[in-house]
Amino acid sequence: MSNRSDMPSAADHDTPDLRPAEWLTGNMAHLWAEPLGSENLARRLRVAGVDAHGHLHVTCSQAAYRTHLRLLAQYVVVRLNELVPTVRVTGIRTHMRPVEILVATVDANTDHQVLDGVLLETCHDAVQVWGPEHPVILRHTAQTPADQFVADWAAQHTATTAGTSAPARAVAELADHGRHGAKATEIRDLRLVTIDRSDMCLAICAKNHPIPSLAQLAIRVGLPVRQVWS
């Protein structure tokens, strides 16, 4: 059970435009661990970037780490500004690590009632495993009517559960045909199951149709796949 202070709020899930905090990467990574006082804690807090107001945005893997960082925040800001005076950090904004679900669909008629139930159950399961403070990202390829339903469903679900659960956000992962030509879809799909590996794949299948190729690829690389027939 999460503490009240760790329940989601609108500020936790704002995603402003961020510039990379290059001064905390590579050989300079020790500048992040030093004010935290723990390399172990530093490894569990990912610096996402800095916003236009100088706030350092940090993604936390667990609610306990976020609580710890919030307690240390004022000291960390002061120490970072001492270590790197040119940076001028003004504060720290914390975000919970999202649960990323890759949604693979087929270009066939799908039952929207079934889709609604599957998406609701999947998000509910994510809450049970990771906790209600973790937002859910539904990654889809924007190729089928079912993908559009996923996008619409995420927006509606977030609106109706605001204040009680973290948001669900749909992200369209488009193939870059201009850059990769005929291999664009293949390259995009490989990236989604390896480099940008999600926590699981939800495969929406149709009778008399093969399992979506993206789900087949996920199975081959060992990504957990849940198959549902619509």
Side-chain angles (χ1 to χ4, degrees), residues 78-93:
V78 170
R79 190 69 183 118
L80 285 176
N81 285 325
E82 290 175 347
L83 293 169
V84 194
T86 58
V87 172
R88 298 187 181 90
V89 175
T90 60
I92 292 178
R93 296 289 182 268

Side-chain angles (χ1 to χ4, degrees), residues 155-197:
Q156 181 178 3
H157 176 74
T158 296
T160 57
T161 60
T164 61
S165 186
R169 182 163 61 94
V171 175
E173 300 285 356
L174 305 179
D176 191 344
H177 292 281
R179 182 179 180 184
H180 300 298
K183 291 189 175 181
T185 298
E186 178 183 348
I187 292 173
R188 185 271 316 279
D189 290 356
L190 186 61
R191 171 179 61 80
L192 289 175
V193 299
T194 54
I195 300 174
D196 296 337
R197 187 183 179 95

Side-chain angles (χ1 to χ4, degrees), residues 58-219:
V58 181
T59 300
C60 309
S61 61
Q62 294 181 21
Y65 299 135
R66 180 174 64 171
T67 299
H68 196 165
L69 178 58
R70 284 176 169 174
L71 293 173
L72 293 174
Q74 186 173 358
Y75 169 76
V76 172
V77 168
V78 170
R79 190 69 183 118
L80 285 176
N81 285 325
E82 290 175 347
L83 293 169
V84 194
T86 58
V87 172
R88 298 187 181 90
V89 175
T90 60
I92 292 178
R93 296 289 182 268
T94 60
H95 308 267
M96 291 305 299
R97 171 196 176 279
V99 179
E100 301 194 6
I101 300 172
L102 182 60
V103 183
T105 64
V106 293
D107 192 7
N109 292 329
T110 53
D111 187 324
H112 285 185
Q113 186 172 356
V114 171
L115 283 177
D116 178 80
V118 168
L119 291 170
L120 184 61
E121 183 178 355
T122 300
C123 285
H124 177 267
D125 289 348
V127 166
Q128 295 302 307
V129 174
W130 284 278
E133 65 276 0
H134 291 267
V136 173
I137 294 181
L138 299 168
R139 298 191 179 279
H140 63 90
T141 59
Q143 292 178 307
T144 71
D147 289 334
Q148 182 59 53
F149 181 88
V150 169
D152 295 339
W153 183 91
Q156 181 178 3
H157 176 74
T158 296
T160 57
T161 60
T164 61
S165 186
R169 182 163 61 94
V171 175
E173 300 285 356
L174 305 179
D176 191 344
H177 292 281
R179 182 179 180 184
H180 300 298
K183 291 189 175 181
T185 298
E186 178 183 348
I187 292 173
R188 185 271 316 279
D189 290 356
L190 186 61
R191 171 179 61 80
L192 289 175
V193 299
T194 54
I195 300 174
D196 296 337
R197 187 183 179 95
S198 297
D199 294 289
M200 65 167 289
C201 174
L202 174 62
I204 308 298
C205 310
K207 294 180 180 179
N208 302 320
H209 283 74
I211 295 173
S213 58
L214 181 57
Q216 294 180 33
L217 182 59
I219 292 172

